[in-house]
Amino acid sequence: MREFAKAVKITDKVYWVGAIDWSIKDFHGYSTDRGTTYNAYLVLADKITLIDTVKAPFREELMSRIKSVIDPGKIDIIVSNHAEMDHSGSLRQVVAEVKPEKVFASAMGVKTLNAHFDLDFEITPVKTGDGISLGNMELTFVETKMLHWPDSMFTYLKEEKILFSQDAFGMHLATDRLFEDENEPDIIHWEALKYFANILLPYCPQITRLVESLPDLNLDIRMIAPDHGPIWRKDPMVPVKKYTEWAKQKPNKKVIIIYDTMWQSTALMARTVADGVMESGAEPHVIHMGSKDRSFAATMMLDAGGLIVGSPTLNNNIFPTMADVLTYLKGLRPKNLIGGAFGSYGWGGEAVRQLNEYLEDMSVELVSEGVKVKYVPGNEDLQQCRELGKNVGEKLIELIGKK
Ligand code: FEO
């Protein structure tokens, strides 16, 4: 077996044995400009336990890290908190190498893992409130259905007060600084927000219910150890508070203007719509899809109150980059947005109608029918664009004032 960097001790009895993926740039459509980590944790209890594994290509790295602490054959228990392949892709082979006494997952986890892999071992299902003894330590399980898969669950290690939270409270950030407080706060905030906006946004009601139920579980939490990115230890409840806030999708004065352009007419319209938003006292953020990606747009949308979209008409359709970003944003099921559409055209001019349909499907309240401009905007057209931005901004400020 090739040797990689060693495990990192995070408490007296717990080691990080995961892998850092410095080069991944696209995680099933989510742009991971800063790479990611696949975290796995080794608990040195009487019954030695591995919590989660890693994506298949990183298995050797995981095993090498485990080996830097103990003989992997001494692992008694493996817990799979989440069946998605970035955490379970190496499970089958790890089990074959380690030969643990038991493997645990949620009931949905058992089904999902069996559906993905040709497993030749039994997995024991557990549910919320179930606990297992590791001899001198104890694990408790909490199912977190749809956060973000039906199988997802947390595992709590009572003696070390660590909540192993799989994807929840994580972020895509490749770093060897294993704790959140060792990293730049602005990067931590942005990447945690980006993760929430791109992965968890459709499940805000479930998040709210989970966070509200946490006190009933009486978990004394010293650290939250997710499956991606750094571990929260300075104030471990910070991500819980952030999730509580973000799940409300409370609009603020921010209006995002997402557009693409062929010959700069729609670009000029976008800038003018932004001028109108500024006049209203709201805050415009212009996002050009020729230079930004869909994950950035989703992150910017999280705390926005306004969404205005613009596209030229190309072959009787909206521009492909706009179809991409709107399909993605629609799937995230955002709430509490008002907005409108604009676009230039040569002869057909279907884009604005199609943009409006996307917005309606996203339950965005439209302030007008939108602005359509033939070929190149003149002064009157630009005035309409300014009014569109101003109307969205003014209505947003009025709505925020009423809340
Ligand atoms: Fe990190 Fe849902 O997998």
Side-chain angles (χ1 to χ4, degrees):
M1 184 198 293
R2 283 174 286 190
E3 286 192 6
F4 293 87
K6 294 191 184 335
V8 182
K9 197 172 191 172
I10 61 169
T11 68
D12 275 354
K13 296 289 180 191
V14 180
Y15 285 79
W16 175 85
V17 289
I20 306 176
D21 190 344
W22 299 99
S23 48
I24 187 168
K25 293 290 170 245
D26 185 327
F27 192 106
H28 61 45
Y30 175 145
S31 66
T32 46
D33 344 42
R34 291 192 168 103
T36 194
T37 64
Y38 311 110
N39 299 338
Y41 302 95
L42 185 68
V43 181
L44 298 184
D46 289 346
K47 282 194 180 293
I48 296 175
T49 300
L50 177 65
I51 298 184
D52 285 321
T53 61
V54 294
K55 201 174 178 180
F58 295 87
R59 179 185 53 81
E60 272 191 305
E61 211 164 316
L62 166 79
M63 295 306 288
S64 175
R65 282 202 163 93
I66 294 170
K67 212 174 161 193
S68 73
V69 184
I70 52 144
D71 168 5
K74 290 191 171 163
I75 291 174
D76 300 292
I77 288 169
I78 297 180
V79 175
S80 173
N81 272 337
H82 180 25
E84 195 164 5
M85 282 70 78
D86 48 331
H87 311 297
S88 67
S90 58
L91 181 66
R92 189 177 190 275
Q93 270 187 283
V94 171
V95 168
E97 287 177 56
V98 165
K99 298 184 179 55
E101 230 173 76
K102 286 258 190 191
V103 179
F104 294 95
S106 67
M108 274 312 257
V110 177
K111 282 186 191 164
T112 312
L113 288 166
N114 275 295
H116 277 79
F117 308 105
D118 182 20
L119 298 181
D120 50 5
F121 55 87
E122 290 266 309
I123 307 176
T124 307
V126 290
K127 58 183 186 310
T128 294
D130 283 356
I132 57 167
S133 170
L134 307 180
N136 58 340
M137 296 194 193
E138 200 178 299
L139 293 180
T140 309
F141 304 106
V142 181
E143 288 169 278
T144 59
K145 276 182 193 164
M146 298 320 296
L147 294 178
H148 68 124
W149 273 27
D151 67 280
S152 304
M153 71 172 190
F154 292 172
T155 296
Y156 176 68
L157 177 62
K158 188 175 156 197
E159 286 67 24
E160 297 285 7
K161 301 179 182 172
I162 302 177
L163 183 69
F164 299 100
S165 62
Q166 41 91 30
D167 282 341
F169 311 124
M171 67 190 78
H172 286 312
L173 175 61
T175 173
D176 61 347
R177 297 173 193 172
L178 213 58
F179 293 98
E180 155 270 334
D181 53 84
E182 296 171 328
N183 290 272
E184 283 294 320
D186 287 353
I187 292 178
I188 291 290
H189 176 77
W190 173 259
E191 293 300 338
L193 182 80
K194 186 175 177 183
Y195 197 88
F196 185 97
N198 283 272
I199 301 286
L200 297 164
L201 192 66
Y203 311 112
C204 285
Q206 289 91 331
I207 290 167
T208 304
R209 278 199 295 277
L210 173 72
V211 168
E212 283 172 359
S213 71
L214 276 180
D216 302 337
L217 299 168
N218 290 318
L219 307 179
D220 184 5
I221 297 170
R222 166 160 74 123
M223 281 183 199
I224 292 186
D227 273 359
H228 297 290
I231 297 163
W232 302 85
R233 72 170 171 191
K234 194 174 167 197
D235 178 354
M237 296 316 277
V238 161
V240 179
K241 286 176 202 150
K242 283 180 191 277
Y243 273 33
T244 309
E245 201 49 46
W246 294 338
K248 290 178 190 160
Q249 297 189 61
K250 194 173 161 196
N252 67 26
K253 283 200 309 185
K254 181 166 131 189
V255 177
I256 54 170
I257 299 152
I258 302 177
Y259 80 99
D260 209 341
T261 193
M262 284 171 71
W263 292 105
Q264 299 304 314
S265 288
T266 311
L268 178 56
M269 294 174 82
R271 292 202 296 276
T272 313
V273 170
D275 287 346
V277 174
M278 264 188 281
E279 265 180 55
S280 74
E283 292 164 15
H285 289 263
V286 178
I287 302 170
H288 172 220
M289 289 317 296
S291 45
K292 295 287 185 187
D293 56 59
R294 62 178 94 90
S295 306
F296 177 82
T299 313
M300 292 298 284
M301 184 178 70
L302 180 64
D303 61 351
L307 171 62
I308 308 178
V309 291
S311 174
T313 298
L314 174 68
N315 299 331
N316 308 108
N317 270 296
I318 57 173
F319 215 56
T321 49
M322 290 307 295
D324 177 313
V325 70
L326 287 169
T327 303
Y328 187 74
L329 297 181
K330 189 171 83 169
L332 293 171
R333 303 201 291 271
K335 300 271 183 302
N336 306 325
L337 288 165
I338 62 169
F342 61 93
S344 62
Y345 68 99
W347 43 99
E350 290 85 351
V352 168
R353 177 182 53 76
Q354 292 177 18
L355 291 172
N356 280 339
E357 284 169 8
Y358 268 104
L359 293 176
E360 280 165 351
D361 282 352
M362 292 163 74
S363 305
V364 176
E365 187 188 328
L366 300 180
V367 299
S368 73
E369 286 175 2
V371 183
K372 272 170 73 167
V373 168
K374 190 162 175 130
Y375 289 121
V376 178
N379 276 337
E380 245 177 60
D381 303 315
L382 292 177
Q383 183 54 29
Q384 281 187 46
C385 291
R386 206 169 285 113
E387 273 165 24
L388 172 64
K390 198 171 169 209
N391 288 342
V392 171
E394 281 174 352
K395 181 144 194 199
L396 178 59
I397 288 170
E398 187 192 326
L399 284 170
I400 291 171
K402 281 184 192 161
K403 284 189 177 168

Short mmCIF file of all heavy atoms in Angstrom, two decimals, residues 27 82 84 86-87 148-149 166-167 172 195 227-228, ligand 1:
data_model
loop_
_atom_site.label_atom_id
_atom_site.label_comp_id
_atom_site.label_asym_id
_atom_site.label_seq_id
_atom_site.Cartn_x
_atom_site.Cartn_y
_atom_site.Cartn_z
N PHE A 27 -18.47 19.52 -8.84
CA PHE A 27 -19.02 18.45 -8.00
C PHE A 27 -20.49 18.30 -8.39
O PHE A 27 -21.33 19.09 -7.97
CB PHE A 27 -18.87 18.86 -6.53
CG PHE A 27 -19.13 17.75 -5.54
CD1 PHE A 27 -18.09 17.14 -4.86
CD2 PHE A 27 -20.42 17.31 -5.30
CE1 PHE A 27 -18.34 16.13 -3.95
CE2 PHE A 27 -20.68 16.30 -4.41
CZ PHE A 27 -19.64 15.70 -3.72
N HIS A 82 -23.96 8.52 5.46
CA HIS A 82 -24.57 9.02 4.22
C HIS A 82 -24.10 8.16 3.05
O HIS A 82 -22.91 7.89 2.92
CB HIS A 82 -24.15 10.49 4.04
CG HIS A 82 -24.69 11.16 2.83
ND1 HIS A 82 -25.84 10.76 2.19
CD2 HIS A 82 -24.23 12.23 2.12
CE1 HIS A 82 -26.05 11.55 1.15
NE2 HIS A 82 -25.08 12.44 1.09
N GLU A 84 -24.23 8.72 -0.24
CA GLU A 84 -23.76 9.29 -1.51
C GLU A 84 -22.31 8.86 -1.75
O GLU A 84 -21.53 8.70 -0.79
CB GLU A 84 -23.91 10.82 -1.52
CG GLU A 84 -23.77 11.36 -2.94
CD GLU A 84 -24.28 12.80 -3.13
OE1 GLU A 84 -24.65 13.44 -2.14
OE2 GLU A 84 -24.28 13.26 -4.29
N ASP A 86 -19.51 10.01 -2.60
CA ASP A 86 -18.29 10.68 -2.11
C ASP A 86 -17.95 10.22 -0.68
O ASP A 86 -16.85 10.46 -0.20
CB ASP A 86 -18.42 12.21 -2.18
CG ASP A 86 -19.70 12.76 -1.62
OD1 ASP A 86 -20.73 12.05 -1.65
OD2 ASP A 86 -19.69 13.90 -1.13
N HIS A 87 -18.90 9.54 -0.02
CA HIS A 87 -18.62 9.04 1.34
C HIS A 87 -18.71 7.52 1.43
O HIS A 87 -18.26 6.94 2.41
CB HIS A 87 -19.59 9.66 2.35
CG HIS A 87 -19.66 11.14 2.20
ND1 HIS A 87 -18.58 11.96 2.42
CD2 HIS A 87 -20.65 11.96 1.77
CE1 HIS A 87 -18.90 13.20 2.14
NE2 HIS A 87 -20.15 13.24 1.74
N HIS A 148 -29.06 15.65 3.12
CA HIS A 148 -29.89 16.06 2.00
C HIS A 148 -30.39 14.88 1.17
O HIS A 148 -30.99 15.08 0.11
CB HIS A 148 -29.12 17.04 1.09
CG HIS A 148 -27.97 16.41 0.36
ND1 HIS A 148 -27.86 16.45 -1.01
CD2 HIS A 148 -26.91 15.68 0.78
CE1 HIS A 148 -26.76 15.81 -1.40
NE2 HIS A 148 -26.18 15.35 -0.32
N TRP A 149 -30.15 13.67 1.62
CA TRP A 149 -30.69 12.46 0.98
C TRP A 149 -31.62 11.76 1.97
O TRP A 149 -31.52 11.99 3.18
CB TRP A 149 -29.54 11.51 0.58
CG TRP A 149 -28.92 11.77 -0.77
CD1 TRP A 149 -28.87 12.96 -1.44
CD2 TRP A 149 -28.24 10.81 -1.60
NE1 TRP A 149 -28.20 12.79 -2.65
CE2 TRP A 149 -27.81 11.48 -2.77
CE3 TRP A 149 -27.97 9.44 -1.48
CZ2 TRP A 149 -27.12 10.85 -3.79
CZ3 TRP A 149 -27.28 8.82 -2.51
CH2 TRP A 149 -26.86 9.52 -3.66
N GLN A 166 -22.19 14.43 8.77
CA GLN A 166 -22.09 14.17 7.31
C GLN A 166 -22.15 15.48 6.50
O GLN A 166 -21.43 16.39 6.83
CB GLN A 166 -23.05 13.06 6.84
CG GLN A 166 -24.45 13.00 7.41
CD GLN A 166 -25.47 13.77 6.63
OE1 GLN A 166 -25.38 13.93 5.43
NE2 GLN A 166 -26.49 14.23 7.32
N ASP A 167 -22.97 15.59 5.49
CA ASP A 167 -22.89 16.80 4.65
C ASP A 167 -23.32 18.08 5.38
O ASP A 167 -22.85 19.18 5.05
CB ASP A 167 -23.80 16.64 3.42
CG ASP A 167 -23.19 15.76 2.34
OD1 ASP A 167 -21.96 15.56 2.34
OD2 ASP A 167 -23.96 15.26 1.50
N HIS A 172 -17.43 22.91 0.67
CA HIS A 172 -16.40 22.42 -0.24
C HIS A 172 -15.20 23.35 -0.15
O HIS A 172 -15.17 24.43 -0.76
CB HIS A 172 -16.95 22.34 -1.67
CG HIS A 172 -17.90 21.20 -1.85
ND1 HIS A 172 -17.63 19.91 -1.43
CD2 HIS A 172 -19.13 21.14 -2.42
CE1 HIS A 172 -18.64 19.11 -1.74
NE2 HIS A 172 -19.57 19.84 -2.32
N TYR A 195 -22.51 26.27 0.19
CA TYR A 195 -22.93 24.86 0.35
C TYR A 195 -24.42 24.80 0.67
O TYR A 195 -25.18 24.01 0.10
CB TYR A 195 -22.11 24.20 1.47
CG TYR A 195 -22.19 22.70 1.41
CD1 TYR A 195 -21.31 21.96 0.63
CD2 TYR A 195 -23.19 22.01 2.10
CE1 TYR A 195 -21.41 20.59 0.54
CE2 TYR A 195 -23.30 20.64 2.02
CZ TYR A 195 -22.40 19.93 1.24
OH TYR A 195 -22.52 18.58 1.15
N ASP A 227 -18.65 16.06 6.90
CA ASP A 227 -17.94 15.22 5.93
C ASP A 227 -17.20 16.01 4.86
O ASP A 227 -16.52 15.43 4.03
CB ASP A 227 -18.93 14.25 5.25
CG ASP A 227 -19.10 12.97 6.06
OD1 ASP A 227 -18.44 12.84 7.11
OD2 ASP A 227 -19.88 12.10 5.64
N HIS A 228 -17.42 17.34 4.82
CA HIS A 228 -16.66 18.18 3.89
C HIS A 228 -16.19 19.43 4.64
O HIS A 228 -16.97 20.05 5.37
CB HIS A 228 -17.53 18.68 2.73
CG HIS A 228 -18.07 17.59 1.85
ND1 HIS A 228 -17.29 16.85 1.01
CD2 HIS A 228 -19.34 17.15 1.67
CE1 HIS A 228 -18.05 15.99 0.34
NE2 HIS A 228 -19.29 16.15 0.74
FE1 FEO B 1 -21.04 14.77 0.41
FE2 FEO B 1 -24.31 14.15 -0.17
O1 FEO B 1 -22.49 13.85 -0.27
#
